[in-house]
mmCIF file with all atom_site columns, all heavy atoms in Angstrom:
data_model
loop_
_atom_site.group_PDB
_atom_site.id
_atom_site.type_symbol
_atom_site.label_atom_id
_atom_site.label_alt_id
_atom_site.label_comp_id
_atom_site.label_asym_id
_atom_site.label_entity_id
_atom_site.label_seq_id
_atom_site.pdbx_PDB_ins_code
_atom_site.Cartn_x
_atom_site.Cartn_y
_atom_site.Cartn_z
_atom_site.occupancy
_atom_site.B_iso_or_equiv
_atom_site.pdbx_formal_charge
_atom_site.auth_seq_id
_atom_site.auth_comp_id
_atom_site.auth_asym_id
_atom_site.auth_atom_id
_atom_site.pdbx_PDB_model_num
ATOM 1   N N   . ARG A 1 3  ? 0.985   5.482  0.904   1.00 95.00 ? 3  ARG A N   1
ATOM 2   C CA  . ARG A 1 3  ? 0.339   6.630  1.492   1.00 95.00 ? 3  ARG A CA  1
ATOM 3   C C   . ARG A 1 3  ? 0.389   7.761  0.507   1.00 95.00 ? 3  ARG A C   1
ATOM 4   O O   . ARG A 1 3  ? 1.443   8.150  0.021   1.00 95.00 ? 3  ARG A O   1
ATOM 5   C CB  . ARG A 1 3  ? 1.066   6.999  2.812   1.00 95.00 ? 3  ARG A CB  1
ATOM 6   C CG  . ARG A 1 3  ? 0.298   8.050  3.565   1.00 95.00 ? 3  ARG A CG  1
ATOM 7   C CD  . ARG A 1 3  ? 0.782   8.107  4.986   1.00 95.00 ? 3  ARG A CD  1
ATOM 8   N NE  . ARG A 1 3  ? 0.110   9.225  5.644   1.00 95.00 ? 3  ARG A NE  1
ATOM 9   C CZ  . ARG A 1 3  ? 0.443   9.684  6.800   1.00 95.00 ? 3  ARG A CZ  1
ATOM 10  N NH1 . ARG A 1 3  ? 1.431   9.126  7.465   1.00 95.00 ? 3  ARG A NH1 1
ATOM 11  N NH2 . ARG A 1 3  ? -0.203  10.674 7.338   1.00 95.00 ? 3  ARG A NH2 1
ATOM 12  N N   . LEU A 1 4  ? -0.775  8.302  0.192   1.00 98.00 ? 4  LEU A N   1
ATOM 13  C CA  . LEU A 1 4  ? -0.896  9.352  -0.835  1.00 98.00 ? 4  LEU A CA  1
ATOM 14  C C   . LEU A 1 4  ? -0.868  10.749 -0.237  1.00 98.00 ? 4  LEU A C   1
ATOM 15  O O   . LEU A 1 4  ? -1.125  10.917 0.960   1.00 98.00 ? 4  LEU A O   1
ATOM 16  C CB  . LEU A 1 4  ? -2.207  9.133  -1.611  1.00 98.00 ? 4  LEU A CB  1
ATOM 17  C CG  . LEU A 1 4  ? -2.388  7.725  -2.207  1.00 98.00 ? 4  LEU A CG  1
ATOM 18  C CD1 . LEU A 1 4  ? -3.813  7.527  -2.699  1.00 98.00 ? 4  LEU A CD1 1
ATOM 19  C CD2 . LEU A 1 4  ? -1.374  7.469  -3.280  1.00 98.00 ? 4  LEU A CD2 1
ATOM 20  N N   . THR A 1 5  ? -0.600  11.742 -1.053  1.00 97.00 ? 5  THR A N   1
ATOM 21  C CA  . THR A 1 5  ? -0.588  13.121 -0.605  1.00 97.00 ? 5  THR A CA  1
ATOM 22  C C   . THR A 1 5  ? -2.031  13.678 -0.688  1.00 97.00 ? 5  THR A C   1
ATOM 23  O O   . THR A 1 5  ? -2.694  13.571 -1.701  1.00 97.00 ? 5  THR A O   1
ATOM 24  C CB  . THR A 1 5  ? 0.324   13.973 -1.513  1.00 97.00 ? 5  THR A CB  1
ATOM 25  O OG1 . THR A 1 5  ? 1.639   13.442 -1.431  1.00 97.00 ? 5  THR A OG1 1
ATOM 26  C CG2 . THR A 1 5  ? 0.325   15.433 -1.061  1.00 97.00 ? 5  THR A CG2 1
ATOM 27  N N   . ILE A 1 6  ? -2.474  14.257 0.411   1.00 98.00 ? 6  ILE A N   1
ATOM 28  C CA  . ILE A 1 6  ? -3.803  14.852 0.503   1.00 98.00 ? 6  ILE A CA  1
ATOM 29  C C   . ILE A 1 6  ? -3.737  16.290 0.041   1.00 98.00 ? 6  ILE A C   1
ATOM 30  O O   . ILE A 1 6  ? -2.932  17.087 0.546   1.00 98.00 ? 6  ILE A O   1
ATOM 31  C CB  . ILE A 1 6  ? -4.339  14.762 1.935   1.00 98.00 ? 6  ILE A CB  1
ATOM 32  C CG1 . ILE A 1 6  ? -4.510  13.295 2.346   1.00 98.00 ? 6  ILE A CG1 1
ATOM 33  C CG2 . ILE A 1 6  ? -5.711  15.478 2.050   1.00 98.00 ? 6  ILE A CG2 1
ATOM 34  C CD1 . ILE A 1 6  ? -4.816  13.097 3.823   1.00 98.00 ? 6  ILE A CD1 1
ATOM 35  N N   . LEU A 1 7  ? -4.549  16.634 -0.932  1.00 97.00 ? 7  LEU A N   1
ATOM 36  C CA  . LEU A 1 7  ? -4.615  18.021 -1.413  1.00 97.00 ? 7  LEU A CA  1
ATOM 37  C C   . LEU A 1 7  ? -5.257  18.895 -0.326  1.00 97.00 ? 7  LEU A C   1
ATOM 38  O O   . LEU A 1 7  ? -6.106  18.449 0.403   1.00 97.00 ? 7  LEU A O   1
ATOM 39  C CB  . LEU A 1 7  ? -5.490  18.105 -2.689  1.00 97.00 ? 7  LEU A CB  1
ATOM 40  C CG  . LEU A 1 7  ? -5.058  17.257 -3.891  1.00 97.00 ? 7  LEU A CG  1
ATOM 41  C CD1 . LEU A 1 7  ? -6.099  17.398 -5.017  1.00 97.00 ? 7  LEU A CD1 1
ATOM 42  C CD2 . LEU A 1 7  ? -3.677  17.683 -4.365  1.00 97.00 ? 7  LEU A CD2 1
ATOM 43  N N   . GLU A 1 8  ? -4.778  20.125 -0.275  1.00 94.00 ? 8  GLU A N   1
ATOM 44  C CA  . GLU A 1 8  ? -5.316  21.089 0.719   1.00 94.00 ? 8  GLU A CA  1
ATOM 45  C C   . GLU A 1 8  ? -6.002  22.236 0.070   1.00 94.00 ? 8  GLU A C   1
ATOM 46  O O   . GLU A 1 8  ? -5.533  22.743 -0.974  1.00 94.00 ? 8  GLU A O   1
ATOM 47  C CB  . GLU A 1 8  ? -4.174  21.575 1.626   1.00 94.00 ? 8  GLU A CB  1
ATOM 48  C CG  . GLU A 1 8  ? -3.640  20.487 2.553   1.00 94.00 ? 8  GLU A CG  1
ATOM 49  C CD  . GLU A 1 8  ? -2.621  21.020 3.562   1.00 94.00 ? 8  GLU A CD  1
ATOM 50  O OE1 . GLU A 1 8  ? -2.398  22.243 3.649   1.00 94.00 ? 8  GLU A OE1 1
ATOM 51  O OE2 . GLU A 1 8  ? -2.042  20.182 4.269   1.00 94.00 ? 8  GLU A OE2 1
ATOM 52  N N   . TYR A 1 9  ? -7.059  22.655 0.675   1.00 94.00 ? 9  TYR A N   1
ATOM 53  C CA  . TYR A 1 9  ? -7.813  23.856 0.251   1.00 94.00 ? 9  TYR A CA  1
ATOM 54  C C   . TYR A 1 9  ? -6.856  25.048 0.261   1.00 94.00 ? 9  TYR A C   1
ATOM 55  O O   . TYR A 1 9  ? -6.048  25.154 1.132   1.00 94.00 ? 9  TYR A O   1
ATOM 56  C CB  . TYR A 1 9  ? -8.950  24.098 1.222   1.00 94.00 ? 9  TYR A CB  1
ATOM 57  C CG  . TYR A 1 9  ? -9.736  25.354 1.004   1.00 94.00 ? 9  TYR A CG  1
ATOM 58  C CD1 . TYR A 1 9  ? -10.676 25.416 -0.045  1.00 94.00 ? 9  TYR A CD1 1
ATOM 59  C CD2 . TYR A 1 9  ? -9.603  26.461 1.830   1.00 94.00 ? 9  TYR A CD2 1
ATOM 60  C CE1 . TYR A 1 9  ? -11.416 26.559 -0.258  1.00 94.00 ? 9  TYR A CE1 1
ATOM 61  C CE2 . TYR A 1 9  ? -10.345 27.611 1.624   1.00 94.00 ? 9  TYR A CE2 1
ATOM 62  C CZ  . TYR A 1 9  ? -11.251 27.659 0.599   1.00 94.00 ? 9  TYR A CZ  1
ATOM 63  O OH  . TYR A 1 9  ? -11.975 28.816 0.400   1.00 94.00 ? 9  TYR A OH  1
ATOM 64  N N   . PRO A 1 10 ? -6.844  25.886 -0.792  1.00 93.00 ? 10 PRO A N   1
ATOM 65  C CA  . PRO A 1 10 ? -7.805  26.055 -1.856  1.00 93.00 ? 10 PRO A CA  1
ATOM 66  C C   . PRO A 1 10 ? -7.386  25.388 -3.204  1.00 93.00 ? 10 PRO A C   1
ATOM 67  O O   . PRO A 1 10 ? -7.722  25.898 -4.269  1.00 93.00 ? 10 PRO A O   1
ATOM 68  C CB  . PRO A 1 10 ? -7.912  27.542 -2.000  1.00 93.00 ? 10 PRO A CB  1
ATOM 69  C CG  . PRO A 1 10 ? -6.520  28.035 -1.721  1.00 93.00 ? 10 PRO A CG  1
ATOM 70  C CD  . PRO A 1 10 ? -5.980  27.076 -0.690  1.00 93.00 ? 10 PRO A CD  1
ATOM 71  N N   . ASP A 1 11 ? -6.616  24.297 -3.133  1.00 95.00 ? 11 ASP A N   1
ATOM 72  C CA  . ASP A 1 11 ? -6.162  23.655 -4.359  1.00 95.00 ? 11 ASP A CA  1
ATOM 73  C C   . ASP A 1 11 ? -7.330  23.464 -5.308  1.00 95.00 ? 11 ASP A C   1
ATOM 74  O O   . ASP A 1 11 ? -8.326  22.835 -4.972  1.00 95.00 ? 11 ASP A O   1
ATOM 75  C CB  . ASP A 1 11 ? -5.528  22.315 -4.023  1.00 95.00 ? 11 ASP A CB  1
ATOM 76  C CG  . ASP A 1 11 ? -4.748  21.719 -5.185  1.00 95.00 ? 11 ASP A CG  1
ATOM 77  O OD1 . ASP A 1 11 ? -5.330  21.641 -6.300  1.00 95.00 ? 11 ASP A OD1 1
ATOM 78  O OD2 . ASP A 1 11 ? -3.579  21.330 -4.988  1.00 95.00 ? 11 ASP A OD2 1
ATOM 79  N N   . PRO A 1 12 ? -7.220  23.996 -6.562  1.00 97.00 ? 12 PRO A N   1
ATOM 80  C CA  . PRO A 1 12 ? -8.346  23.887 -7.515  1.00 97.00 ? 12 PRO A CA  1
ATOM 81  C C   . PRO A 1 12 ? -8.687  22.462 -7.920  1.00 97.00 ? 12 PRO A C   1
ATOM 82  O O   . PRO A 1 12 ? -9.828  22.187 -8.354  1.00 97.00 ? 12 PRO A O   1
ATOM 83  C CB  . PRO A 1 12 ? -7.896  24.710 -8.712  1.00 97.00 ? 12 PRO A CB  1
ATOM 84  C CG  . PRO A 1 12 ? -6.422  24.837 -8.575  1.00 97.00 ? 12 PRO A CG  1
ATOM 85  C CD  . PRO A 1 12 ? -6.080  24.731 -7.119  1.00 97.00 ? 12 PRO A CD  1
ATOM 86  N N   . ARG A 1 13 ? -7.781  21.530 -7.746  1.00 98.00 ? 13 ARG A N   1
ATOM 87  C CA  . ARG A 1 13 ? -8.074  20.119 -8.108  1.00 98.00 ? 13 ARG A CA  1
ATOM 88  C C   . ARG A 1 13 ? -9.149  19.539 -7.217  1.00 98.00 ? 13 ARG A C   1
ATOM 89  O O   . ARG A 1 13 ? -9.828  18.556 -7.592  1.00 98.00 ? 13 ARG A O   1
ATOM 90  C CB  . ARG A 1 13 ? -6.792  19.280 -8.046  1.00 98.00 ? 13 ARG A CB  1
ATOM 91  C CG  . ARG A 1 13 ? -5.789  19.725 -9.119  1.00 98.00 ? 13 ARG A CG  1
ATOM 92  C CD  . ARG A 1 13 ? -4.448  19.055 -8.943  1.00 98.00 ? 13 ARG A CD  1
ATOM 93  N NE  . ARG A 1 13 ? -3.813  19.523 -7.735  1.00 98.00 ? 13 ARG A NE  1
ATOM 94  C CZ  . ARG A 1 13 ? -2.608  19.129 -7.330  1.00 98.00 ? 13 ARG A CZ  1
ATOM 95  N NH1 . ARG A 1 13 ? -1.939  18.198 -8.016  1.00 98.00 ? 13 ARG A NH1 1
ATOM 96  N NH2 . ARG A 1 13 ? -2.068  19.611 -6.220  1.00 98.00 ? 13 ARG A NH2 1
ATOM 97  N N   . LEU A 1 14 ? -9.317  20.121 -6.021  1.00 98.00 ? 14 LEU A N   1
ATOM 98  C CA  . LEU A 1 14 ? -10.372 19.656 -5.124  1.00 98.00 ? 14 LEU A CA  1
ATOM 99  C C   . LEU A 1 14 ? -11.784 19.950 -5.681  1.00 98.00 ? 14 LEU A C   1
ATOM 100 O O   . LEU A 1 14 ? -12.770 19.407 -5.201  1.00 98.00 ? 14 LEU A O   1
ATOM 101 C CB  . LEU A 1 14 ? -10.249 20.298 -3.744  1.00 98.00 ? 14 LEU A CB  1
ATOM 102 C CG  . LEU A 1 14 ? -9.057  19.818 -2.886  1.00 98.00 ? 14 LEU A CG  1
ATOM 103 C CD1 . LEU A 1 14 ? -8.814  20.743 -1.729  1.00 98.00 ? 14 LEU A CD1 1
ATOM 104 C CD2 . LEU A 1 14 ? -9.300  18.400 -2.445  1.00 98.00 ? 14 LEU A CD2 1
ATOM 105 N N   . ARG A 1 15 ? -11.857 20.823 -6.675  1.00 98.00 ? 15 ARG A N   1
ATOM 106 C CA  . ARG A 1 15 ? -13.142 21.222 -7.280  1.00 98.00 ? 15 ARG A CA  1
ATOM 107 C C   . ARG A 1 15 ? -13.526 20.330 -8.472  1.00 98.00 ? 15 ARG A C   1
ATOM 108 O O   . ARG A 1 15 ? -14.551 20.516 -9.070  1.00 98.00 ? 15 ARG A O   1
ATOM 109 C CB  . ARG A 1 15 ? -13.096 22.679 -7.711  1.00 98.00 ? 15 ARG A CB  1
ATOM 110 C CG  . ARG A 1 15 ? -12.836 23.673 -6.568  1.00 98.00 ? 15 ARG A CG  1
ATOM 111 C CD  . ARG A 1 15 ? -13.922 23.581 -5.578  1.00 98.00 ? 15 ARG A CD  1
ATOM 112 N NE  . ARG A 1 15 ? -13.760 24.564 -4.519  1.00 98.00 ? 15 ARG A NE  1
ATOM 113 C CZ  . ARG A 1 15 ? -14.646 24.717 -3.570  1.00 98.00 ? 15 ARG A CZ  1
ATOM 114 N NH1 . ARG A 1 15 ? -15.712 24.007 -3.538  1.00 98.00 ? 15 ARG A NH1 1
ATOM 115 N NH2 . ARG A 1 15 ? -14.433 25.635 -2.645  1.00 98.00 ? 15 ARG A NH2 1
ATOM 116 N N   . THR A 1 16 ? -12.684 19.351 -8.769  1.00 98.00 ? 16 THR A N   1
ATOM 117 C CA  . THR A 1 16 ? -12.949 18.475 -9.916  1.00 98.00 ? 16 THR A CA  1
ATOM 118 C C   . THR A 1 16 ? -14.042 17.450 -9.562  1.00 98.00 ? 16 THR A C   1
ATOM 119 O O   . THR A 1 16 ? -13.946 16.811 -8.499  1.00 98.00 ? 16 THR A O   1
ATOM 120 C CB  . THR A 1 16 ? -11.679 17.727 -10.310 1.00 98.00 ? 16 THR A CB  1
ATOM 121 O OG1 . THR A 1 16 ? -10.636 18.689 -10.593 1.00 98.00 ? 16 THR A OG1 1
ATOM 122 C CG2 . THR A 1 16 ? -11.893 16.864 -11.551 1.00 98.00 ? 16 THR A CG2 1
ATOM 123 N N   . ARG A 1 17 ? -15.040 17.339 -10.413 1.00 98.00 ? 17 ARG A N   1
ATOM 124 C CA  . ARG A 1 17 ? -16.079 16.356 -10.213 1.00 98.00 ? 17 ARG A CA  1
ATOM 125 C C   . ARG A 1 17 ? -15.527 14.978 -10.621 1.00 98.00 ? 17 ARG A C   1
ATOM 126 O O   . ARG A 1 17 ? -15.014 14.808 -11.751 1.00 98.00 ? 17 ARG A O   1
ATOM 127 C CB  . ARG A 1 17 ? -17.286 16.691 -11.020 1.00 98.00 ? 17 ARG A CB  1
ATOM 128 C CG  . ARG A 1 17 ? -18.462 15.804 -10.746 1.00 98.00 ? 17 ARG A CG  1
ATOM 129 C CD  . ARG A 1 17 ? -19.728 16.348 -11.445 1.00 98.00 ? 17 ARG A CD  1
ATOM 130 N NE  . ARG A 1 17 ? -20.861 15.480 -11.234 1.00 98.00 ? 17 ARG A NE  1
ATOM 131 C CZ  . ARG A 1 17 ? -21.599 15.396 -10.127 1.00 98.00 ? 17 ARG A CZ  1
ATOM 132 N NH1 . ARG A 1 17 ? -21.348 16.217 -9.138  1.00 98.00 ? 17 ARG A NH1 1
ATOM 133 N NH2 . ARG A 1 17 ? -22.588 14.544 -10.050 1.00 98.00 ? 17 ARG A NH2 1
ATOM 134 N N   . ALA A 1 18 ? -15.612 14.026 -9.752  1.00 98.00 ? 18 ALA A N   1
ATOM 135 C CA  . ALA A 1 18 ? -15.054 12.685 -10.006 1.00 98.00 ? 18 ALA A CA  1
ATOM 136 C C   . ALA A 1 18 ? -15.913 11.905 -11.017 1.00 98.00 ? 18 ALA A C   1
ATOM 137 O O   . ALA A 1 18 ? -17.138 12.023 -11.007 1.00 98.00 ? 18 ALA A O   1
ATOM 138 C CB  . ALA A 1 18 ? -14.976 11.902 -8.689  1.00 98.00 ? 18 ALA A CB  1
ATOM 139 N N   . ALA A 1 19 ? -15.239 11.104 -11.805 1.00 98.00 ? 19 ALA A N   1
ATOM 140 C CA  . ALA A 1 19 ? -15.905 10.282 -12.845 1.00 98.00 ? 19 ALA A CA  1
ATOM 141 C C   . ALA A 1 19 ? -16.308 8.934  -12.196 1.00 98.00 ? 19 ALA A C   1
ATOM 142 O O   . ALA A 1 19 ? -15.619 8.388  -11.334 1.00 98.00 ? 19 ALA A O   1
ATOM 143 C CB  . ALA A 1 19 ? -14.951 10.035 -14.001 1.00 98.00 ? 19 ALA A CB  1
#
Side-chain angles (χ1 to χ4, degrees):
R3 189 162 175 192
L4 306 170
T5 301
I6 297 172
L7 302 176
E8 291 185 7
Y9 176 75
D11 192 309
R13 295 172 291 180
L14 289 166
R15 300 299 185 176
T16 304
R17 186 172 178 80

